[in-house]
Amino acid sequence: MARRISLTVALAALACLLVAPSAGAMNLGRLIAPPSACPHQANLEDSPAVQEQAMLCMTNYARRHVGAAKLEGVDSLDRSATFKSDDILQCDSFSHEACGREFTYWMHRVGYFSSSCWSAGENIAWGTGEYGTVRSMFVAWIHSPGHRENILGHFRQIGIGLQVGTLEGHGNAHVWTQDFGTIC
């Protein structure tokens, strides 16, 4: 079975590695939690809930290492992220606008935006085999400037969704979504 990581994430990570400053100037490796700090990073057989918890752990580990506050996990954002990952599979469309919906569609539908003052961001990725693991997805995101900005930036809350299915003809694709938000 072919092992594949999202071309978008793979190219972004590769570009970042090619133009990255020296290791002394920007040591991204220190932002990646060792398995002892965040277990369940590499086992695709773990339940989605266990893998999502590992992704939250890795995200907050990176934030802690840059002096940023821990992101609060929010049930409505978890549901939003899960629905987005499901849309990507159901519509066979790896896009922030999967099924023709704006990236904030599910955030609105699950009631996350309760005020008129909010900000939101989203990371999506997918892979099969070893490229679908928590660790693989997180490493790709942390090496991509835009994804890293969402992870380390100004957001206060997070939701994480993992769905497994067929995407672009690849079975057992692990589709990841991180929804970020801040309510003013």
Side-chain angles (χ1 to χ4, degrees):
M1 176 179 297
R3 292 184 177 172
R4 177 182 167 126
I5 190 168
S6 148
L7 183 58
T8 304
V9 172
L11 290 177
L14 179 61
C16 182
L17 290 173
L18 293 176
V19 299
S22 69
M26 181 183 288
N27 182 2
L28 297 177
R30 73 184 175 89
L31 303 179
I32 301 167
S36 60
C38 296
H40 306 285
Q41 296 178 20
N43 190 350
L44 295 171
E45 303 306 314
D46 285 333
S47 71
V50 167
Q51 292 181 67
E52 290 163 357
Q53 187 60 41
M55 184 65 79
L56 177 61
C57 179
M58 292 193 75
T59 300
N60 281 326
Y61 179 94
R63 290 178 63 84
R64 184 171 53 252
H65 282 77
V66 298
K70 177 179 168 181
L71 291 171
E72 173 191 2
V74 176
D75 288 341
S76 59
L77 284 178
D78 283 340
R79 289 193 314 275
S80 170
T82 299
F83 286 136
K84 170 57 72 69
S85 291
D86 190 55
D87 275 357
I88 289 169
L89 288 170
Q90 294 303 314
C91 295
D92 200 23
S93 172
F94 182 70
S95 168
H96 289 285
E97 290 83 29
C99 301
R101 297 179 173 137
E102 292 183 23
F103 94 90
T104 57
Y105 174 84
W106 285 111
M107 293 177 197
H108 284 286
R109 293 283 294 179
V110 300
Y112 176 71
F113 299 127
S114 58
S115 77
S116 60
C117 181
W118 52 267
S119 64
E122 181 172 83
N123 289 345
I124 60 173
W126 74 276
T128 61
E130 68 186 86
Y131 298 112
T133 66
V134 172
R135 186 173 186 84
S136 180
M137 292 295 104
F138 188 81
V139 167
W141 279 335
I142 210 70
H143 282 92
S144 164
H147 296 98
R148 183 173 60 248
E149 183 177 336
N150 282 342
I151 291 168
L152 302 177
H154 68 278
F155 296 110
R156 296 183 193 142
Q157 299 175 316
I158 190 171
I160 300 171
L162 168 62
Q163 293 286 353
V164 180
T166 300
L167 183 62
E168 297 180 5
H170 298 274
N172 205 32
H174 284 63
V175 178
W176 286 93
T177 301
Q178 287 182 317
D179 279 343
F180 301 90
T182 298
I183 302 296
C184 307

